[in-house]
Amino acid sequence: MNQPAPTYAIDVQKLNKHFGDKHVVDDVSLQVARGEIFGFLGPNGSGKTTSIRLMCGLLTPDSGTGTCLGYDIVRESAQIKRNVGYMTQRFSYWDDLTIRENLDFVARIYEMPNRREAVERSLESLGLQSRANQLTGALSGGWKQRLALAACMLHEPQLLLLDEPTAGVDPTARRDFWEELHRLAARGISVLVSTHYMDEAERCHKLAYIAYGKLLAQGTAREVIESQNLATWTIYGEHLSKLSEQLRKTPGVDQTVVFGSALHVSGIEHATLEAAVKQAIQGTTLRAERIETGLEDVFIYLMSHSTDNYGAPS
Ligand SMILES: Nc1ncnc2c1ncn2[C@@H]1O[C@H](COP(=O)(O)OP(=O)(O)O)[C@@H](O)[C@H]1O
Ligand SMILES: [Mg+2]
């Protein structure tokens, strides 16, 4: 047990996929280490679901190679499916069955040996026993989602692929769900999870940001932030949206975003940006200070830049 092989739960290189003339996944390479929670972020339609399907062998790439749990994504998709838990974007269950009956039903579909034992184990490991005999239709969104997680873990997969698992779930249930993911990761289970929520991005060990099929940044939150070399200032005061428009036309300012009562102003030319901010607040009651660039600033920057390039004449 010195060297558990393979090192990566997912290791793919230069995956490409077209649908018609649309290049939906464009040279995507990524690695997810064992026991890591890897967040997959990006706007709707950017290729997250398609990438997940490529990585677990449900779709064949036009080009590219890779392994999932050490199995070849093109030639060994049957083994991958047996060892991966996949929670699709719109998971489903039977409203008029109890939680236990739903899990039992899934276990039957997969013809699992020791079905009863597997169901009890998954009820226990996800803290579902107290609700096991309740009808699923009457449960809150958070419990339904916990059921969906239990269902995709019945066969004790080593890798979970979770496609927007918390969309439409309330904040408390989302927090519980993430605590659960961290417990699983601590047990050595790897997790690839796509999400829109910024607070969830910050709870991942590593992140990738994808837009229009292209992976634009990858690494820890800090690495993703540093990769863009943005300086950010925050301005407090009145009439920020007007100021925002004005600053956006100023040299040195690459991006302005209003966050409630503060305006974030970012740019890659740090000195020019500073001059622009100081000039803008001079002789006013506005206050400005340099802050650490946040993940959200960077994601907005990445998204707007990829939009700019999309369809632009080259
Ligand atoms: N089976 C398919 N046939 C044709 N186009 C598809 C298919 N699946 C996805 N697409 C298109 O590929 C793009 C990426 O979709 P998807 O991977 O679902 O993105 P995301 O999960 O990031 O929202 C979208 O433009 C979508 O319409
Ligand atoms: Mg999707």
Side-chain angles (χ1 to χ4, degrees), residues 97 100-116 118-119 154:
L97 295 184
R100 182 181 275 110
E101 287 165 345
N102 262 296
L103 291 174
D104 191 67
F105 186 79
V106 175
R108 271 175 206 269
I109 294 176
Y110 289 106
E111 297 176 352
M112 289 187 59
N114 310 322
R115 196 178 82 231
R116 240 152 257 203
V119 169
L154 273 172

PDB file of all heavy atoms in Angstrom, residues 97 100-116 118-119 154:
ATOM      1  N   LEU A  97     -42.511   6.659  -3.609  1.00  0.00           N
ATOM      2  CA  LEU A  97     -41.769   5.632  -2.869  1.00  0.00           C
ATOM      3  C   LEU A  97     -41.050   6.318  -1.713  1.00  0.00           C
ATOM      4  O   LEU A  97     -40.762   7.516  -1.778  1.00  0.00           O
ATOM      5  CB  LEU A  97     -40.730   4.948  -3.757  1.00  0.00           C
ATOM      6  CG  LEU A  97     -41.201   4.122  -4.952  1.00  0.00           C
ATOM      7  CD1 LEU A  97     -40.004   3.453  -5.620  1.00  0.00           C
ATOM      8  CD2 LEU A  97     -42.237   3.086  -4.545  1.00  0.00           C
ATOM      9  N   ARG A 100     -35.982   4.691   1.343  1.00  0.00           N
ATOM     10  CA  ARG A 100     -35.408   3.337   1.299  1.00  0.00           C
ATOM     11  C   ARG A 100     -35.854   2.602   0.024  1.00  0.00           C
ATOM     12  O   ARG A 100     -35.042   1.956  -0.642  1.00  0.00           O
ATOM     13  CB  ARG A 100     -35.797   2.545   2.531  1.00  0.00           C
ATOM     14  CG  ARG A 100     -35.179   1.135   2.539  1.00  0.00           C
ATOM     15  CD  ARG A 100     -35.559   0.299   3.738  1.00  0.00           C
ATOM     16  NE  ARG A 100     -34.711   0.549   4.898  1.00  0.00           N
ATOM     17  CZ  ARG A 100     -35.091   1.160   6.010  1.00  0.00           C
ATOM     18  NH1 ARG A 100     -36.336   1.583   6.143  1.00  0.00           N
ATOM     19  NH2 ARG A 100     -34.260   1.345   6.999  1.00  0.00           N
ATOM     20  N   GLU A 101     -37.150   2.732  -0.315  1.00  0.00           N
ATOM     21  CA  GLU A 101     -37.658   2.047  -1.512  1.00  0.00           C
ATOM     22  C   GLU A 101     -37.006   2.570  -2.792  1.00  0.00           C
ATOM     23  O   GLU A 101     -36.719   1.816  -3.718  1.00  0.00           O
ATOM     24  CB  GLU A 101     -39.185   2.191  -1.596  1.00  0.00           C
ATOM     25  CG  GLU A 101     -39.921   1.347  -0.570  1.00  0.00           C
ATOM     26  CD  GLU A 101     -41.383   1.764  -0.408  1.00  0.00           C
ATOM     27  OE1 GLU A 101     -41.773   2.854  -0.859  1.00  0.00           O
ATOM     28  OE2 GLU A 101     -42.133   0.974   0.197  1.00  0.00           O
ATOM     29  N   ASN A 102     -36.770   3.880  -2.824  1.00  0.00           N
ATOM     30  CA  ASN A 102     -36.088   4.449  -3.988  1.00  0.00           C
ATOM     31  C   ASN A 102     -34.696   3.852  -4.153  1.00  0.00           C
ATOM     32  O   ASN A 102     -34.290   3.475  -5.251  1.00  0.00           O
ATOM     33  CB  ASN A 102     -35.966   5.968  -3.847  1.00  0.00           C
ATOM     34  CG  ASN A 102     -37.056   6.723  -4.594  1.00  0.00           C
ATOM     35  OD1 ASN A 102     -37.141   6.654  -5.820  1.00  0.00           O
ATOM     36  ND2 ASN A 102     -37.898   7.430  -3.859  1.00  0.00           N
ATOM     37  N   LEU A 103     -33.960   3.792  -3.041  1.00  0.00           N
ATOM     38  CA  LEU A 103     -32.599   3.249  -3.112  1.00  0.00           C
ATOM     39  C   LEU A 103     -32.628   1.781  -3.499  1.00  0.00           C
ATOM     40  O   LEU A 103     -31.810   1.309  -4.296  1.00  0.00           O
ATOM     41  CB  LEU A 103     -31.880   3.451  -1.771  1.00  0.00           C
ATOM     42  CG  LEU A 103     -31.542   4.906  -1.435  1.00  0.00           C
ATOM     43  CD1 LEU A 103     -30.965   5.005  -0.026  1.00  0.00           C
ATOM     44  CD2 LEU A 103     -30.567   5.491  -2.449  1.00  0.00           C
ATOM     45  N   ASP A 104     -33.599   1.058  -2.939  1.00  0.00           N
ATOM     46  CA  ASP A 104     -33.724  -0.354  -3.254  1.00  0.00           C
ATOM     47  C   ASP A 104     -34.010  -0.555  -4.746  1.00  0.00           C
ATOM     48  O   ASP A 104     -33.467  -1.448  -5.395  1.00  0.00           O
ATOM     49  CB  ASP A 104     -34.837  -0.968  -2.405  1.00  0.00           C
ATOM     50  CG  ASP A 104     -34.827  -2.487  -2.503  1.00  0.00           C
ATOM     51  OD1 ASP A 104     -33.849  -3.092  -2.017  1.00  0.00           O
ATOM     52  OD2 ASP A 104     -35.772  -3.051  -3.102  1.00  0.00           O
ATOM     53  N   PHE A 105     -34.839   0.338  -5.273  1.00  0.00           N
ATOM     54  CA  PHE A 105     -35.195   0.275  -6.690  1.00  0.00           C
ATOM     55  C   PHE A 105     -33.954   0.473  -7.574  1.00  0.00           C
ATOM     56  O   PHE A 105     -33.712  -0.282  -8.518  1.00  0.00           O
ATOM     57  CB  PHE A 105     -36.247   1.353  -6.975  1.00  0.00           C
ATOM     58  CG  PHE A 105     -36.799   1.307  -8.359  1.00  0.00           C
ATOM     59  CD1 PHE A 105     -37.770   0.381  -8.705  1.00  0.00           C
ATOM     60  CD2 PHE A 105     -36.347   2.194  -9.334  1.00  0.00           C
ATOM     61  CE1 PHE A 105     -38.281   0.335  -9.999  1.00  0.00           C
ATOM     62  CE2 PHE A 105     -36.850   2.153 -10.616  1.00  0.00           C
ATOM     63  CZ  PHE A 105     -37.824   1.223 -10.952  1.00  0.00           C
ATOM     64  N   VAL A 106     -33.159   1.474  -7.212  1.00  0.00           N
ATOM     65  CA  VAL A 106     -31.931   1.728  -7.982  1.00  0.00           C
ATOM     66  C   VAL A 106     -31.000   0.519  -7.894  1.00  0.00           C
ATOM     67  O   VAL A 106     -30.425   0.077  -8.893  1.00  0.00           O
ATOM     68  CB  VAL A 106     -31.216   2.994  -7.456  1.00  0.00           C
ATOM     69  CG1 VAL A 106     -29.872   3.191  -8.162  1.00  0.00           C
ATOM     70  CG2 VAL A 106     -32.087   4.221  -7.667  1.00  0.00           C
ATOM     71  N   ALA A 107     -30.874  -0.032  -6.702  1.00  0.00           N
ATOM     72  CA  ALA A 107     -29.992  -1.197  -6.502  1.00  0.00           C
ATOM     73  C   ALA A 107     -30.465  -2.385  -7.342  1.00  0.00           C
ATOM     74  O   ALA A 107     -29.654  -3.149  -7.871  1.00  0.00           O
ATOM     75  CB  ALA A 107     -29.949  -1.573  -5.024  1.00  0.00           C
ATOM     76  N   ARG A 108     -31.790  -2.537  -7.505  1.00  0.00           N
ATOM     77  CA  ARG A 108     -32.329  -3.616  -8.358  1.00  0.00           C
ATOM     78  C   ARG A 108     -31.968  -3.381  -9.815  1.00  0.00           C
ATOM     79  O   ARG A 108     -31.561  -4.300 -10.516  1.00  0.00           O
ATOM     80  CB  ARG A 108     -33.860  -3.642  -8.281  1.00  0.00           C
ATOM     81  CG  ARG A 108     -34.425  -4.482  -7.186  1.00  0.00           C
ATOM     82  CD  ARG A 108     -35.952  -4.286  -7.196  1.00  0.00           C
ATOM     83  NE  ARG A 108     -36.506  -4.539  -5.892  1.00  0.00           N
ATOM     84  CZ  ARG A 108     -36.949  -5.735  -5.498  1.00  0.00           C
ATOM     85  NH1 ARG A 108     -36.907  -6.754  -6.319  1.00  0.00           N
ATOM     86  NH2 ARG A 108     -37.422  -5.902  -4.285  1.00  0.00           N
ATOM     87  N   ILE A 109     -32.137  -2.124 -10.258  1.00  0.00           N
ATOM     88  CA  ILE A 109     -31.814  -1.815 -11.659  1.00  0.00           C
ATOM     89  C   ILE A 109     -30.375  -2.208 -11.968  1.00  0.00           C
ATOM     90  O   ILE A 109     -30.082  -2.768 -13.012  1.00  0.00           O
ATOM     91  CB  ILE A 109     -32.004  -0.304 -11.954  1.00  0.00           C
ATOM     92  CG1 ILE A 109     -33.469   0.076 -11.845  1.00  0.00           C
ATOM     93  CG2 ILE A 109     -31.472   0.053 -13.334  1.00  0.00           C
ATOM     94  CD1 ILE A 109     -33.727   1.552 -12.022  1.00  0.00           C
ATOM     95  N   TYR A 110     -29.480  -1.905 -11.023  1.00  0.00           N
ATOM     96  CA  TYR A 110     -28.071  -2.217 -11.248  1.00  0.00           C
ATOM     97  C   TYR A 110     -27.718  -3.651 -10.877  1.00  0.00           C
ATOM     98  O   TYR A 110     -26.555  -4.027 -10.898  1.00  0.00           O
ATOM     99  CB  TYR A 110     -27.187  -1.213 -10.495  1.00  0.00           C
ATOM    100  CG  TYR A 110     -27.254   0.144 -11.132  1.00  0.00           C
ATOM    101  CD1 TYR A 110     -27.956   1.189 -10.545  1.00  0.00           C
ATOM    102  CD2 TYR A 110     -26.652   0.360 -12.368  1.00  0.00           C
ATOM    103  CE1 TYR A 110     -28.056   2.423 -11.160  1.00  0.00           C
ATOM    104  CE2 TYR A 110     -26.743   1.597 -12.988  1.00  0.00           C
ATOM    105  CZ  TYR A 110     -27.443   2.619 -12.376  1.00  0.00           C
ATOM    106  OH  TYR A 110     -27.534   3.837 -12.991  1.00  0.00           O
ATOM    107  N   GLU A 111     -28.732  -4.414 -10.513  1.00  0.00           N
ATOM    108  CA  GLU A 111     -28.534  -5.827 -10.159  1.00  0.00           C
ATOM    109  C   GLU A 111     -27.387  -5.989  -9.182  1.00  0.00           C
ATOM    110  O   GLU A 111     -26.481  -6.810  -9.374  1.00  0.00           O
ATOM    111  CB  GLU A 111     -28.289  -6.654 -11.431  1.00  0.00           C
ATOM    112  CG  GLU A 111     -29.490  -6.624 -12.351  1.00  0.00           C
ATOM    113  CD  GLU A 111     -29.262  -7.354 -13.668  1.00  0.00           C
ATOM    114  OE1 GLU A 111     -28.113  -7.763 -13.930  1.00  0.00           O
ATOM    115  OE2 GLU A 111     -30.236  -7.504 -14.421  1.00  0.00           O
ATOM    116  N   MET A 112     -27.435  -5.179  -8.128  1.00  0.00           N
ATOM    117  CA  MET A 112     -26.351  -5.221  -7.161  1.00  0.00           C
ATOM    118  C   MET A 112     -26.445  -6.454  -6.292  1.00  0.00           C
ATOM    119  O   MET A 112     -27.520  -6.793  -5.813  1.00  0.00           O
ATOM    120  CB  MET A 112     -26.424  -3.983  -6.259  1.00  0.00           C
ATOM    121  CG  MET A 112     -26.054  -2.733  -6.989  1.00  0.00           C
ATOM    122  SD  MET A 112     -25.955  -1.362  -5.857  1.00  0.00           S
ATOM    123  CE  MET A 112     -24.705  -1.957  -4.766  1.00  0.00           C
ATOM    124  N   PRO A 113     -25.313  -7.088  -6.058  1.00  0.00           N
ATOM    125  CA  PRO A 113     -25.305  -8.177  -5.081  1.00  0.00           C
ATOM    126  C   PRO A 113     -25.437  -7.562  -3.680  1.00  0.00           C
ATOM    127  O   PRO A 113     -25.108  -6.385  -3.499  1.00  0.00           O
ATOM    128  CB  PRO A 113     -23.927  -8.813  -5.278  1.00  0.00           C
ATOM    129  CG  PRO A 113     -23.083  -7.745  -5.875  1.00  0.00           C
ATOM    130  CD  PRO A 113     -23.991  -6.838  -6.643  1.00  0.00           C
ATOM    131  N   ASN A 114     -25.920  -8.294  -2.724  1.00  0.00           N
ATOM    132  CA  ASN A 114     -26.111  -7.782  -1.353  1.00  0.00           C
ATOM    133  C   ASN A 114     -26.852  -6.455  -1.353  1.00  0.00           C
ATOM    134  O   ASN A 114     -26.427  -5.483  -0.739  1.00  0.00           O
ATOM    135  CB  ASN A 114     -24.773  -7.582  -0.634  1.00  0.00           C
ATOM    136  CG  ASN A 114     -23.899  -8.812  -0.737  1.00  0.00           C
ATOM    137  OD1 ASN A 114     -24.394  -9.939  -0.663  1.00  0.00           O
ATOM    138  ND2 ASN A 114     -22.605  -8.598  -0.960  1.00  0.00           N
ATOM    139  N   ARG A 115     -27.970  -6.464  -2.080  1.00  0.00           N
ATOM    140  CA  ARG A 115     -28.706  -5.228  -2.278  1.00  0.00           C
ATOM    141  C   ARG A 115     -29.113  -4.561  -0.961  1.00  0.00           C
ATOM    142  O   ARG A 115     -28.900  -3.374  -0.760  1.00  0.00           O
ATOM    143  CB  ARG A 115     -29.940  -5.568  -3.111  1.00  0.00           C
ATOM    144  CG  ARG A 115     -30.615  -4.426  -3.717  1.00  0.00           C
ATOM    145  CD  ARG A 115     -31.774  -4.918  -4.550  1.00  0.00           C
ATOM    146  NE  ARG A 115     -32.937  -5.176  -3.736  1.00  0.00           N
ATOM    147  CZ  ARG A 115     -33.641  -6.296  -3.746  1.00  0.00           C
ATOM    148  NH1 ARG A 115     -33.291  -7.301  -4.530  1.00  0.00           N
ATOM    149  NH2 ARG A 115     -34.693  -6.436  -2.980  1.00  0.00           N
ATOM    150  N   ARG A 116     -29.716  -5.378  -0.086  1.00  0.00           N
ATOM    151  CA  ARG A 116     -30.229  -4.824   1.161  1.00  0.00           C
ATOM    152  C   ARG A 116     -29.132  -4.159   1.991  1.00  0.00           C
ATOM    153  O   ARG A 116     -29.301  -3.068   2.517  1.00  0.00           O
ATOM    154  CB  ARG A 116     -30.881  -5.935   1.977  1.00  0.00           C
ATOM    155  CG  ARG A 116     -32.323  -5.619   2.215  1.00  0.00           C
ATOM    156  CD  ARG A 116     -33.163  -6.800   2.388  1.00  0.00           C
ATOM    157  NE  ARG A 116     -33.876  -6.992   1.129  1.00  0.00           N
ATOM    158  CZ  ARG A 116     -35.002  -7.644   1.024  1.00  0.00           C
ATOM    159  NH1 ARG A 116     -35.533  -8.202   2.066  1.00  0.00           N
ATOM    160  NH2 ARG A 116     -35.612  -7.751  -0.133  1.00  0.00           N
ATOM    161  N   ALA A 118     -26.330  -2.961   0.869  1.00  0.00           N
ATOM    162  CA  ALA A 118     -25.853  -1.747   0.195  1.00  0.00           C
ATOM    163  C   ALA A 118     -26.793  -0.580   0.492  1.00  0.00           C
ATOM    164  O   ALA A 118     -26.346   0.551   0.738  1.00  0.00           O
ATOM    165  CB  ALA A 118     -25.759  -1.980  -1.308  1.00  0.00           C
ATOM    166  N   VAL A 119     -28.094  -0.837   0.489  1.00  0.00           N
ATOM    167  CA  VAL A 119     -29.062   0.218   0.761  1.00  0.00           C
ATOM    168  C   VAL A 119     -28.898   0.723   2.197  1.00  0.00           C
ATOM    169  O   VAL A 119     -28.829   1.936   2.437  1.00  0.00           O
ATOM    170  CB  VAL A 119     -30.505  -0.287   0.519  1.00  0.00           C
ATOM    171  CG1 VAL A 119     -31.523   0.715   1.069  1.00  0.00           C
ATOM    172  CG2 VAL A 119     -30.741  -0.539  -0.966  1.00  0.00           C
ATOM    173  N   LEU A 154     -24.421   4.056  -4.103  1.00  0.00           N
ATOM    174  CA  LEU A 154     -24.782   2.701  -3.671  1.00  0.00           C
ATOM    175  C   LEU A 154     -23.678   1.694  -3.957  1.00  0.00           C
ATOM    176  O   LEU A 154     -23.415   0.807  -3.157  1.00  0.00           O
ATOM    177  CB  LEU A 154     -26.047   2.251  -4.414  1.00  0.00           C
ATOM    178  CG  LEU A 154     -27.384   2.618  -3.791  1.00  0.00           C
ATOM    179  CD1 LEU A 154     -28.499   2.270  -4.754  1.00  0.00           C
ATOM    180  CD2 LEU A 154     -27.575   1.907  -2.462  1.00  0.00           C
TER     181      LEU A 154
END
